[in-house]
């Protein structure tokens, strides 16, 4: 049975997105999904940057320029707990403030 965490994230550049982190029991991975933000005048979202930490650690960028509102983290290990957040990136390369983190424990 997958473990799911559902969090509403506020992103400064683009508004609100729905963020989910789901850990699978098969090959270890975490699937991150979110709804693209609503369009805003003068703001063009070109991608997303994904950050991860273990529960007691510092966040590190694990992916940049993700063009779709989902990402699969396959570099996880059984029994570990992780936190994730997403930042949107606009056409000029500016990142939004970080979203609220979503947490998941790998079975």
């Amino acid at each position: 049975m997958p473990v799911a965490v559902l969090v509403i994230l506020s992103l400064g550049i683009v508004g609100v997105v729905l963020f989910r982190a789901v850990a699978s029991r098969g090959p270890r991975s975490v699937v991150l999904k979110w709804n693209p933000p609503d369009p805003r005048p003068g703001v063009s979202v070109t991608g997303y940057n994904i950050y991860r930490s273990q529960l007691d650690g510092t966040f590190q960028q694990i992916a940049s320029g993700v063009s779709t509102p989902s990402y699969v983290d396959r570099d996880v290990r059984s029994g570990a707990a992780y936190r994730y957040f997403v930042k949107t990136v606009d056409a000029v390369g500016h990142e939004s403030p970080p979203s609220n983190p979503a947490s998941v424990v790998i079975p």
Side-chain angles (χ1 to χ4, degrees):
M1 172 175 274
V3 176
V5 176
L6 195 57
V7 179
I8 298 292
L9 307 178
S10 286
L11 300 177
I13 290 177
V14 294
V16 176
V17 296
L18 181 64
F19 186 67
R20 290 181 289 171
V22 179
S24 67
R25 286 197 181 273
R28 302 299 183 228
S29 65
V30 175
V31 177
L32 305 170
K33 293 185 179 185
W34 57 94
N35 292 334
D38 292 331
R40 289 179 55 187
V43 177
S44 175
V45 174
T46 59
Y48 305 93
N49 293 340
I50 314 300
Y51 294 81
R52 179 187 72 193
S53 79
Q54 291 198 302
L55 290 182
D56 60 351
T58 303
F59 280 96
Q60 305 246 342
Q61 186 175 0
I62 60 169
S64 63
V66 175
S67 60
T68 61
S70 66
Y71 179 77
V72 178
D73 183 6
R74 291 181 173 87
D75 187 21
V76 296
R77 60 184 169 81
S78 182
Y82 298 96
R83 291 190 310 161
Y84 296 87
F85 68 74
V86 176
K87 292 183 178 184
T88 57
V89 180
D90 68 13
V92 183
H94 297 120
E95 281 189 320
S96 70
S99 64
N100 295 326
S103 300
V104 65
V105 176
I106 308 302

